[in-house]
Amino acid sequence: MGIPVSYYLVLSAIMFVIGILGVLLRRNALVTFMSLEMMFNAANLIFVTFAAYYRVLTGQIFVFFVMTVAAAEVAVGLALMVAIFRTKHSIDLDQMSSLKG
């Protein structure tokens, strides 16, 4: 007897809602970025849950590729944040709305 699937679904839903609230309510680019990653991990948890439930490997393989793309996204996103911080001396999203030189 393992943990029921509904527990994983509820945990994933909670993680996704926290990620959405972080994106919508916070103005810091780093917090918004982490909230997006939390939403990706909530989706990954769903994929792994159903892959384990149905005993197929497809969901876990898909999660591997999503994590690979997310790692590349983190590298590019953090590089952009560092470059913007060096010029604007802030990573507030309201100040980044106009990206004029």
Side-chain angles (χ1 to χ4, degrees):
M1 288 231 110
I3 300 173
V5 174
S6 61
Y7 289 4
Y8 292 112
L9 297 178
V10 169
L11 176 63
S12 178
I14 290 170
M15 287 173 57
F16 199 81
V17 168
I18 290 172
I20 287 176
L21 290 175
V23 168
L24 294 177
L25 299 178
R26 300 300 297 250
R27 289 283 115 210
N28 189 345
L30 192 59
V31 173
T32 303
F33 194 62
M34 288 189 303
S35 298
L36 285 171
E37 292 297 323
M38 183 176 283
M39 290 167 52
F40 289 148
N41 285 329
N44 285 342
L45 180 61
I46 292 284
F47 284 130
V48 170
T49 299
F50 283 118
Y53 181 74
Y54 290 114
R55 290 181 171 78
V56 293
L57 199 58
T58 310
Q60 294 175 357
I61 292 171
F62 190 72
V63 166
F64 177 74
F65 286 116
V66 168
M67 289 175 69
T68 304
V69 171
E73 174 209 357
V74 166
V76 171
L78 288 177
L80 285 171
M81 281 188 221
V82 167
I84 291 171
F85 182 77
R86 286 183 181 174
T87 58
K88 301 264 186 189
H89 301 291
S90 174
I91 54 172
D92 188 28
L93 291 178
D94 291 331
Q95 293 179 356
M96 284 190 272
S97 63
S98 65
L99 292 177
K100 298 177 183 173

